[in-house]
Amino acid sequence: GAVVSQHPSWVICKSGTSVKIECRSLDFQATTMFWYRQFPKQSLMLMATSNEGSKATYEQGVEKDKFLINHASLTLSTLTVTSAHPEDSSFYICSARDSGPATQHFGDGTRLSIL
Amino acid sequence: GESVGLHLPTLSVQEGDNSIINCAYSNSASDYFIWYKQESGKGPQFIIDIRSNMDKRQGQRVTVLLNKTVKHLSLQIAATQPGDSAVYFCAENKANRDDKIIFGKGTRLHILP
C-alpha cells in the first residue's frame, strides 16, 4: 500500500537551532501534503497545507516565518522549525493526499525535543 | 464553534467483548468522517470512513454508525483484541475545506485481560 516516510523519526537539538523534517511519499505523487503537530495526550492539530510548486497555506495561529514549508517536488515536503525553543518540542506528523480525502496517508511522525 | 469531540477520554474493555467509541460533531456541513487508530509513537492509521449520505458502514470487525440528526458518530469494534489497544480519533472533512482533515480529541482504548 501507499507509504509516507518521515525523516528523522527523532531529533534532539539545542534551543535556537533550526531543524528540518522531511516528508516523502514513496510510491505515489502528492500534490498536497499536510503538516500536523501533536502534543502529549492531545489530538493532531493541523498546522499547514503544503502545495507542490506554490506557497503553503497556514492555519490560524501558526507562524509561517517560524515553520517554513517547502514542497519542491511531487514526492517531498519539508518542514523547517526555525530558531527552535523548548515550547516547540512536539510530535510532528505529515500526511500526503493521493487522490482525495479518502486517500490521505500519514507518516509515522517526528519526535522533536528542544533542550 | 466548529468542533469534533469525543464523549469519553478513556475506555476499558474486556478482551473478547465489543468496544464502542463515540464522537460528537457540531458542524452539519461536514460530509465525510473518518476513524483513525494511533499507536504509541506512530502516525494515525486509517480504520474506516463514512460519507454523510450513509448511516452505517461495515469493515472487518469494525462498524461505523452516523446519526446526522444528533450529529453523532460511533466506532464499534467486535471481539476486541489486545492489538486494538490504541488511541482512536474521529475526524471530519468538509468539502469546502480543500481536503483538510480535522481531528477530534481522541479516546484511549484499554484492553483488559
Side-chain angles (χ1 to χ4, degrees):
Chain A
V3 177
V4 173
S5 174
Q6 281 187 242
H7 178 81
S9 57
W10 184 45
V11 58
I12 301 175
C13 61
K14 293 181 179 180
S15 183
T17 59
S18 294
V19 180
K20 180 184 285 188
I21 302 170
E22 295 184 346
C23 178
R24 294 182 184 272
S25 56
L26 298 185
D27 56 0
F28 66 98
Q29 293 183 330
T31 55
T32 305
M33 293 184 176
F34 301 89
W35 287 97
Y36 294 81
R37 180 168 52 184
Q38 184 179 30
F39 292 109
K41 299 184 179 180
Q42 294 189 22
S43 187
L44 283 75
M45 297 298 297
L46 180 64
M47 298 175 67
T49 302
S50 173
N51 302 297
E52 187 270 335
S54 64
K55 291 181 178 180
T57 304
Y58 291 81
E59 294 298 300
Q60 189 174 6
V62 178
E63 300 176 57
K64 62 180 181 180
D65 294 330
K66 180 167 185 64
F67 299 99
L68 302 179
I69 292 173
N70 184 281
H71 194 160
S73 78
L74 288 171
T75 59
L76 174 65
S77 175
T78 61
L79 169 68
T80 301
V81 183
T82 62
S83 187
H85 289 95
E87 58 266 30
D88 298 322
S89 299
S90 189
F91 194 47
Y92 291 86
I93 302 171
C94 73
S95 71
R97 182 166 70 84
D98 192 351
S99 57
T103 52
Q104 260 195 52
H105 308 284
F106 286 81
D108 269 343
T110 296
R111 176 77 57 195
L112 174 62
S113 296
I114 309 299
L115 303 178
Chain B
E2 302 176 0
S3 67
V4 179
L6 296 177
H7 293 312
L8 298 173
T10 60
L11 177 66
S12 296
V13 175
Q14 203 76 33
E15 181 179 349
D17 287 352
N18 297 334
S19 301
I20 300 176
I21 301 172
N22 296 304
C23 177
Y25 66 96
S26 60
N27 195 317
S28 57
S30 295
D31 58 2
Y32 176 62
F33 302 90
I34 316 110
W35 280 102
Y36 291 95
K37 173 185 180 183
Q38 186 181 29
E39 296 176 308
S40 181
K42 295 187 176 181
Q45 176 187 357
F46 173 90
I47 301 174
I48 193 168
D49 59 2
I50 189 167
R51 295 205 174 271
S52 58
N53 60 352
M54 303 171 66
D55 53 19
K56 180 179 180 178
R57 192 164 187 226
Q58 288 186 294
Q60 187 176 13
R61 275 201 313 120
V62 294
T63 301
V64 55
L65 299 178
L66 176 62
N67 186 329
K68 293 182 287 293
T69 302
V70 295
K71 297 179 184 174
H72 184 268
L73 191 70
S74 69
L75 175 70
Q76 300 178 4
I77 304 173
T80 310
Q81 303 169 358
D84 294 329
S85 291
V87 177
Y88 290 81
F89 294 96
C90 66
E92 66 171 335
N93 169 261
K94 292 185 280 289
N96 62 353
R97 285 183 65 94
D98 300 324
D99 293 335
K100 294 178 183 179
I101 292 178
I102 305 301
F103 283 77
K105 294 181 180 179
T107 294
R108 178 170 296 280
L109 180 63
H110 289 289
I111 310 304
L112 303 171

